[in-house]
Amino acid sequence: MMDRWTFGLTMLVVGMGGTLLTLMLLSVIMALLKKVFPYNPDEEKKD
Amino acid sequence: MVEGILSGLNGLIAGFLNLHWSNPVMMAIGCLLLYLGIKKDFEPLLLVPIGFGCIIVNIPLAGLMEKEGFLRTIYDAGVITELFPLFIFIGIGAMTDFTPVLENPYTFLLGAAGQFGIFLTLLLALALGFKYNEAVTIGIIGACDGPTVIYVASQYAQSLLGPCSVAAYSYMSLVPVLQPPIMKMLTTKKERETIMKTHKRTVSKTTKLLFPIVITIVGGLIAPKGLPLLATIMLGNLMRESGVVERLTKASQNEIANIVTLLLGISIGATMDGKVFVQPTTIIVLALGLIAICLDTVCGVLFGKILYLITGGKINPLIGAAGISAFPMSARVVQKEGQKYNKKNYLLMHAMGANAGGQVGSVMAAAVMLSVLKGMGVI
């Protein structure tokens, strides 16, 4: 079992880094989705 | 006959005789929570049942939390099984409009920065000698998200469920008090006065529909241990955006959320037995929770400042403070603070984006954390 500081720093780096990277990836995917399915006022009115 | 009367009377005073010194203390805390909920309007939906649960569990000999006691039955059925926080998440998903974050996907990053407090507080908790699983649970208070805290605590540190939940909900309600001084301290007058462009509605219905599905699949694949949290909030949102299951959406927003909130609140209150709760550990947990939420705000605003620099002053750093899960309270605080320094400033929609990003960010941070812990063999 790793010591407390190694554990804490690992959580900080991997945990925060993982959260940041995941949300970064999701924001890129969302930006792409917006490009692929752009907002069209006429179609939205039909719905 | 006299003996019978005396025994009978003895039965009536047994409650008083068995009162531990910590029980009246906790009853007073229960009354304080009721006062905050009823008179000060601090998260009344949660604080009223929690406060009342706290009072009744400290009445001796009632056996409410003993085997087959009514609070124990509710607690075992919904908290230990993690069902209550997950049902609440369906309701949150059904209530949340993620359009502001979809309009500006970069605000997801503000939602990530707002989770820094979780990990810094985890380090502090470790330094204070808490076990790994306890430190993780205390850190999660920084998610500023009650159901996430309850979900993690019920799995990994049940002894801290009461203090962590109370800390999360109390501090969430204190966001309007806690955030403004930090926002002011970390930003210059010029930064606070920055006007951000308001944008038109630019998100298609297809994108809104795909959002919960994509988040669930991608997020679930990256952090499978947190999938229950992610999937339930996204299911609620999918139902909302699809528009075809209005009855289910309304039930999730109202009946289900209300019933579960009541049961969850009273179950949390039931964990606040004086003999367990009145300990130095509780005070340390409450203090660390406060630090966690303040650190979230600090990191969010600092990240906002970085975006301000990168964009050449187009982004008001104040919106970084909204990158936490206290939705929509935090966004309202940003709007109010922005207007205080520049009457022409309308930051609400941008702050709502960061706030919705914070909602996803807190769930994602918990999910990532659980998966990292699983990977490290800690859980």
Side-chain angles (χ1 to χ4, degrees):
Chain A
M1 188 69 98
M2 63 179 74
D3 69 79
R4 302 175 76 77
W5 285 113
T6 315
F7 171 74
L9 289 173
T10 309
M11 285 304 293
L12 179 69
V13 174
V14 185
M16 194 59 227
T19 305
L20 200 58
L21 283 176
T22 307
L23 288 172
M24 206 180 274
L25 175 67
L26 291 175
S27 72
V28 171
I29 294 174
M30 285 307 130
L32 283 175
L33 277 178
K34 276 180 69 181
K35 285 232 184 305
V36 178
F37 304 103
Y39 178 70
N40 184 341
D42 299 332
E43 273 185 31
E44 301 293 315
K45 270 179 199 163
K46 275 183 208 165
D47 290 327
Chain B
M1 168 141 175
V2 175
E3 205 175 304
I5 292 170
L6 285 176
S7 305
L9 285 175
N10 196 35
L12 289 178
I13 59 166
F16 293 95
L17 293 176
N18 283 279
L19 212 54
H20 185 263
W21 67 267
S22 60
N23 294 137
V25 173
M26 289 311 295
M27 285 184 202
I29 291 176
C31 290
L32 175 69
L33 295 177
L34 287 178
Y35 171 77
L36 291 175
I38 297 167
K39 283 283 175 191
K40 297 286 175 188
D41 206 28
F42 285 180
E43 297 282 337
L45 290 177
L46 257 303
L47 289 194
V48 170
I50 290 177
F52 201 76
C54 174
I55 292 172
I56 59 175
V57 83
N58 280 286
I59 295 174
L61 305 179
L64 301 181
M65 276 302 269
E66 283 166 20
K67 196 167 178 271
E68 292 180 1
F70 101 92
L71 288 182
R72 169 61 66 186
T73 308
I74 298 172
Y75 181 81
D76 287 348
V79 179
I80 295 293
T81 57
E82 299 150 18
L83 283 177
F84 286 169
L86 297 179
F87 282 145
I88 295 268
F89 263 131
I90 297 179
I92 292 174
M95 286 180 232
T96 309
D97 179 7
F98 285 106
T99 311
V101 76
L102 291 170
E103 278 173 346
N104 285 311
Y106 77 88
T107 50
F108 261 122
L109 299 178
L110 290 166
Q115 313 309 319
F116 238 111
I118 296 176
F119 300 95
L120 295 173
T121 310
L122 187 153
L123 276 181
L124 276 177
L126 284 172
L128 288 171
F130 284 95
K131 291 178 198 157
Y132 290 175
N133 54 340
E134 291 173 340
V136 166
T137 307
I138 294 168
I140 284 289
I141 300 173
C144 216
D145 190 342
T148 304
V149 172
I150 295 163
Y151 181 84
V152 174
S154 61
Q155 273 193 69
Y156 304 111
Q158 281 175 24
S159 61
L160 296 181
L161 179 63
C164 286
S165 315
V166 170
Y169 282 112
S170 311
Y171 297 144
M172 264 165 68
S173 63
L174 287 175
V175 157
V177 181
L178 296 174
Q179 288 201 314
I182 299 172
M183 290 154 78
K184 191 177 175 187
M185 196 169 67
L186 295 176
T187 50
T188 62
K189 193 165 177 284
K190 191 184 165 200
E191 286 169 345
R192 290 194 291 272
E193 286 175 349
T194 307
I195 290 179
M196 289 180 74
K197 273 188 202 163
T198 42
H199 33 65
K200 292 173 198 161
R201 193 165 164 259
T202 55
V203 184
S204 68
K205 190 167 166 54
T206 313
T207 307
K208 284 192 209 172
L209 266 173
L210 287 172
F211 169 75
I213 300 168
V214 170
I215 296 268
T216 305
I217 295 172
V218 177
L221 284 170
I222 294 172
K225 280 295 280 180
L227 186 59
L229 292 170
L230 206 55
T232 43
I233 195 168
M234 289 305 147
L235 169 65
N237 190 251
L238 179 64
M239 293 195 301
R240 174 198 168 96
E241 295 302 341
S242 70
V244 293
V245 282
E246 206 173 328
R247 277 168 51 196
L248 295 184
T249 309
K250 282 191 174 156
S252 304
Q253 291 169 333
N254 300 300
E255 291 86 354
I256 295 173
N258 290 342
I259 292 169
V260 177
T261 301
L262 170 64
L263 297 177
L264 185 64
I266 202 163
S267 307
I268 294 165
T271 63
M272 296 167 74
D273 185 339
K275 292 185 200 93
V276 186
F277 202 85
V278 183
Q279 285 181 21
T281 311
T282 304
I283 295 165
I284 298 172
V285 169
L286 293 176
L288 286 172
L290 180 63
I291 292 171
I293 290 176
C294 292
L295 283 173
D296 284 343
T297 308
V298 168
C299 296
V301 174
L302 290 179
F303 194 76
K305 281 171 82 85
I306 294 172
L307 290 181
Y308 174 84
L309 288 174
I310 293 173
T311 58
K314 284 183 186 155
I315 289 177
N316 190 319
L318 291 182
I319 66 164
I324 59 171
S325 184
F327 188 89
M329 201 188 300
S330 190
R332 286 199 202 119
V333 171
V334 170
Q335 162 71 3
K336 202 175 153 199
E337 288 301 300
Q339 286 244 304
K340 203 192 275 181
Y341 298 99
N342 187 345
K343 293 275 177 236
K344 291 177 190 162
N345 220 347
Y346 290 95
L347 298 174
L348 189 63
M349 280 317 280
H350 302 280
M352 288 288 266
N355 216 176
Q359 187 92 56
V360 179
S362 68
V363 174
M364 213 55 241
V368 167
M369 196 184 230
L370 294 179
S371 291
V372 173
L373 288 171
K374 175 81 176 164
M376 289 161 83
V378 176
I379 57 173

